[in-house]
């Protein structure tokens, strides 16, 4: 199968998987948010930081090395499998021992039991990491969809039933464990891969040499990405963490959906053309513009309609999350661009530079947090926007050197999409103000506002003959 055909086939199944799972996950989150309190989501958010760091330590970037390398065989896969498995047992033991200290840091005694139970997912996930990696490398996203969708449904339904019967935050914990178990069992059944009884030290050194730097980058990135959760959890009430957690989750829903779809395709795709800079730049340009074409108007329109959106979906108790959500939407626009810039460094094998950039950005983030913290939660959120824009210029400057695509050129090509999206947002805002004056119900405000936003964005893009819009129309309207 040709590279183009593999990419298109992978894109189809990846899109189907991501949108299907996001819709299912979104419905589940709505039901759980109506059954549970913001403080209970806040407790899970505090634990999620620790779990994320643990998963990075377990995988150590080795799975990314397997995807990037072109000459891997079963010895490579088996070696990484055993490292992940024994590493997960060690990390779980460490988490179990540190649980009281972590709970004391947040001032939440309930976190001790939650961490010790949820940490079991480290070991469960380690059993299927290689199966998932092999499917990614082969761009077999059809099998991944067959696995992930039923797993999410099983875990989600379990969580809803437990929440209905009053299990509180434990309904979220057990839901994660059940989903992870279901996913691992299915991956073993569908992948047909089993490890050899071998651990090759030379191959481990090879993958660990590349992945170790990515692991350090991942740990730093995870800590600082969750810096706001950590700080809010330390100095504010658990309900505030819950509001932030939900606002960030809704903000990231469209961003992560599209980013994960494209990222699954782009990393192995970039890896195959890593030595052809002209082709790599061409693919990167089109993907970046295409992603922003969907992300920018979506976040801006949702941000404008934040109040009716949260009240309609989650009820009045979640309205304090609305201003959090609106601020976060601004910073989220550049999120996928960060990811693709850094992918260029990875496929070029520049994991050392990747780590260096992560350290530089985190120093900047620390400075911004120290300054903005004195202004409370909203100071922190506005500071996150500043960090997002600074990070874009740092990432694009260095990655652009490898494919002759400097930051100023990226800004020049992205600006028309951003300006049109902002103009559409203004039209939605004016329309919504008129509907508020007429006491329109939330569902009506969402439908009319969304329709005005999408229609105006597409119409303006057509009037100004936006290049990426023309290309998308060609793809959609193309006849075989």
């Amino acid at each position: 199968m040709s590279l183009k055909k593999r990419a298109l086939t992978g894109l189809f199944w990846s899109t189907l998987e991501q949108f299907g799972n996001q819709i299912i996950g979104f419905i589940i989150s709505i039901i759980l948010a109506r059954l549970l309190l913001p403080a209970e989501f806040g407790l899970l958010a505090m634990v999620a930081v620790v779990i994320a760091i643990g998963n990075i330590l377990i995988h150590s970037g080795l799975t990314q090395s397997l995807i990037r390398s072109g000459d891997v065989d079963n010895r490579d896969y088996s070696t990484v499998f055993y490292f992940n498995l024994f590493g997960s047992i060690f990390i779980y033991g460490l988490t179990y021992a540190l649980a009281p200290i972590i709970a004391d840091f947040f001032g939440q005694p309930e976190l001790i039991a939650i961490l010790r139970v949820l940490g079991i997912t480290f070991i469960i996930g380690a059993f299927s990491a290689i199966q998932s990696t092999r499917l990614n490398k082969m761009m077999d996203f059809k099998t991944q969809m067959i696995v992930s969708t039923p797993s999410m449904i099983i875990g989600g339904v379990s969580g809803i039933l437990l929440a209905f019967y009053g299990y509180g935050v434990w309904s979220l914990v057990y839901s994660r464990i059940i989903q992870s178990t279901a996913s691992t069992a299915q991956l073993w059944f569908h992948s047909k891969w089993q490890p050899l009884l071998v651990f090759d030290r030379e191959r481990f050194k090879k993958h660990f040499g590349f992945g170790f730097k990515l692991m350090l980058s991942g740990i730093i990135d995870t800590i600082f990405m969750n810096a706001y959760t950590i700080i809010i959890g330390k100095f504010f009430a658990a309900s505030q963490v819950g509001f932030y957690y939900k606002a960030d989750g809704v903000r990231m829903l469209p961003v992560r959906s599209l980013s994960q779809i494209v990222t699954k395709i782009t990393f192995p795709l970039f890896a195959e053309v890593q030595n052809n800079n002209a082709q790599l730049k061409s693919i990167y340009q089109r993907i970046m513009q295409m992603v922003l074409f969907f992300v920018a108007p979506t976040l801006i329109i949702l941000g404008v309609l934040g109040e009716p959106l949260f009240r309609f979906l989650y009820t009045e108790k979640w309205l304090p999350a609305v201003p959090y959500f609106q601020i976060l939407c601004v910073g989220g626009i550049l999120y996928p661009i960060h990811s693709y810039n850094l992918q260029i460094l990875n496929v070029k094998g520049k994991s050392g530079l990747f780590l260096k950039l992560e350290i530089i950005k985190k120093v900047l983030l620390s400075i911004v947090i120290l300054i903005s913290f004195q202004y409370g939660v909203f100071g922190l959120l506005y500071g996150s926007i500043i960090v997002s824009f600074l990070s874009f210029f740092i990432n694009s400057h260095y990655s652009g050197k490898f494919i002759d695509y400097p930051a100023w050129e990226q800004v020049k090509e992205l600006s028309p999409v951003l300006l049109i999206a902002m103009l559409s947002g203004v039209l939605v805002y004016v329309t919504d103000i008129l509907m508020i004056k007429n006491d329109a119900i939330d569902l009506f405000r969402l439908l009319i506002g969304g329709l005005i936003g999408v229609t105006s964005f597409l119409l303006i893009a057509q009037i100004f003959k936006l290049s990426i819009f023309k290309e998308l129309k060609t793809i959609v309207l193309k006849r075989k």
Side-chain angles (χ1 to χ4, degrees):
M1 187 183 293
S2 68
L3 179 61
K4 180 179 179 181
K5 189 171 182 180
R6 286 173 59 202
L8 290 174
T9 302
L11 181 61
F12 171 78
W13 287 110
S14 181
T15 302
L16 195 61
E17 177 198 7
Q18 289 298 326
F19 276 106
N21 288 349
Q22 291 294 344
I23 291 171
I24 294 169
F26 189 52
I27 294 171
I28 291 169
S29 73
I30 292 173
I31 299 172
L32 287 172
R34 287 172 170 264
L35 292 171
L36 301 173
L37 297 173
E40 291 168 328
F41 280 91
L43 291 173
L44 184 71
M46 297 175 200
V47 173
V49 179
V50 180
I51 299 300
I53 294 172
N55 282 322
I56 292 171
L57 286 170
I58 292 166
H59 298 299
S60 306
L62 271 66
T63 53
Q64 286 177 281
S65 180
L66 289 172
I67 294 174
R68 177 184 175 275
S69 302
D71 57 344
V72 297
D73 57 26
N74 212 7
R75 293 183 69 87
D76 296 87
Y77 290 127
S78 299
T79 298
V80 176
F81 172 81
Y82 289 118
F83 175 80
N84 286 348
L85 181 58
F86 289 106
S88 69
I89 296 171
F90 173 78
I91 296 300
Y92 174 68
L94 188 63
T95 303
Y96 191 97
L98 294 177
I101 299 174
I102 296 169
D104 185 60
F105 172 83
F106 286 111
Q108 302 288 344
E110 305 98 313
L111 295 183
I112 298 175
I114 294 172
L115 270 171
R116 288 175 170 176
V117 174
L118 191 57
I120 296 171
T121 56
F122 291 145
I123 301 172
I124 297 172
F127 272 101
S128 61
I130 297 303
Q131 286 85 344
S132 181
T133 298
R134 292 180 73 254
L135 293 175
N136 276 332
K137 189 174 180 66
M138 295 184 293
M139 296 189 187
D140 185 359
F141 302 113
K142 179 180 179 180
T143 300
Q144 292 192 49
M145 185 196 73
I146 294 172
V147 169
S148 63
T149 302
S151 301
M152 176 168 285
I153 293 173
I154 293 169
V157 172
S158 300
I160 291 170
L161 289 173
L162 290 168
F164 181 78
Y165 284 105
Y167 279 79
V169 67
W170 286 101
S171 60
L172 300 173
V173 174
Y174 291 133
S175 174
R176 297 285 180 93
I177 294 174
I178 293 169
Q179 180 177 338
S180 180
T181 303
S183 176
T184 294
Q186 291 182 87
L187 280 169
W188 270 84
F189 176 78
H190 288 287
S191 71
K192 308 301 182 185
W193 176 85
Q194 293 182 3
L196 301 173
L197 291 175
V198 62
F199 186 90
D200 191 313
R201 291 185 179 182
E202 292 302 316
R203 299 195 186 192
F204 170 75
K205 290 179 182 178
K206 169 190 171 184
H207 295 299
F208 191 75
F210 175 83
F212 177 72
K213 295 169 186 176
L214 292 183
M215 178 191 72
L216 292 179
S217 300
I219 292 172
I220 295 170
D221 191 48
T222 299
I223 291 173
F224 281 90
M225 277 186 67
N226 290 280
Y228 298 102
T229 298
I230 296 170
I231 293 172
I232 297 171
K234 173 64 176 176
F235 296 102
F236 299 92
S239 60
Q240 295 289 86
V241 185
F243 292 137
Y244 173 80
Y245 179 74
K246 182 58 64 178
D248 189 51
V250 177
R251 181 274 299 257
M252 290 302 295
L253 184 64
V255 176
R256 190 174 287 117
S257 298
L258 189 57
S259 296
Q260 288 179 346
I261 291 169
V262 180
T263 299
K264 279 188 174 183
I265 304 298
T266 54
F267 190 64
L269 186 61
F270 286 170
E272 294 207 24
V273 297
Q274 60 184 287
N275 297 319
N276 188 332
N277 287 341
Q279 189 177 3
L280 186 58
K281 176 183 177 181
S282 176
I283 294 172
Y284 174 75
Q285 283 177 302
R286 295 166 70 185
I287 288 175
M288 185 176 65
Q289 292 181 56
M290 190 177 299
V291 169
L292 195 69
F293 184 85
F294 291 102
V295 169
T298 300
L299 286 183
I300 290 175
I301 293 169
L302 288 177
V304 173
L305 298 173
E307 182 190 334
L309 177 68
F310 271 72
R311 184 164 48 226
F312 176 73
L313 294 177
Y314 304 118
T315 71
E316 295 274 349
K317 67 183 178 184
W318 286 97
L319 282 182
V322 172
Y324 295 14
F325 172 68
Q326 292 172 326
I327 297 170
L328 289 169
C329 279
V330 178
I333 292 174
L334 292 178
Y335 177 86
I337 310 303
H338 298 322
S339 175
Y340 303 136
N341 267 296
L342 293 175
Q343 277 193 17
I344 299 296
L345 299 181
N346 281 341
V347 299
K348 288 293 186 180
K350 303 298 180 180
S351 57
L353 178 58
F354 188 107
L355 176 59
K356 179 182 176 181
L357 294 185
E358 288 303 299
I359 294 172
I360 292 172
K361 288 182 293 183
K362 275 34 180 187
V363 170
L364 288 173
L365 176 58
S366 299
I367 294 172
V368 172
I369 287 177
L370 287 173
I371 296 173
S372 60
F373 175 72
Q374 59 186 312
Y375 300 103
V377 176
F378 288 104
L380 289 168
L381 295 177
Y382 283 117
S384 71
I385 297 177
I386 297 173
V387 172
S388 180
F389 280 91
L390 290 176
S391 296
F392 165 75
F393 284 104
I394 292 172
N395 292 338
S396 58
H397 171 73
Y398 285 95
S399 65
K401 286 184 175 182
F402 293 100
I403 56 174
D404 191 27
Y405 194 27
W408 67 265
E409 188 177 341
Q410 294 188 36
V411 171
K412 180 181 177 181
E413 293 186 354
L414 296 177
S415 293
V417 177
L418 290 173
L419 291 173
I420 294 173
M422 291 170 62
L423 182 56
S424 299
V426 171
L427 294 175
V428 174
Y429 178 77
V430 172
T431 303
D432 192 54
I433 290 294
L434 296 175
M435 287 190 286
I436 292 174
K437 290 182 178 179
N438 290 285
D439 297 321
I441 62 174
D442 290 333
L443 180 58
F444 187 72
R445 288 170 63 185
L446 291 170
L447 291 174
I448 298 300
L451 181 63
I452 293 293
V454 173
T455 303
S456 61
F457 177 76
L458 295 177
L459 184 60
I460 298 171
Q462 173 67 33
I463 292 173
F464 286 94
K465 298 180 180 179
L466 203 64
S467 60
I468 190 63
F469 182 54
K470 292 170 64 178
E471 184 172 348
L472 285 169
K473 283 201 306 180
T474 301
I475 294 172
V476 172
L477 299 177
K478 184 178 180 181
R479 296 290 184 267
K480 293 183 178 181

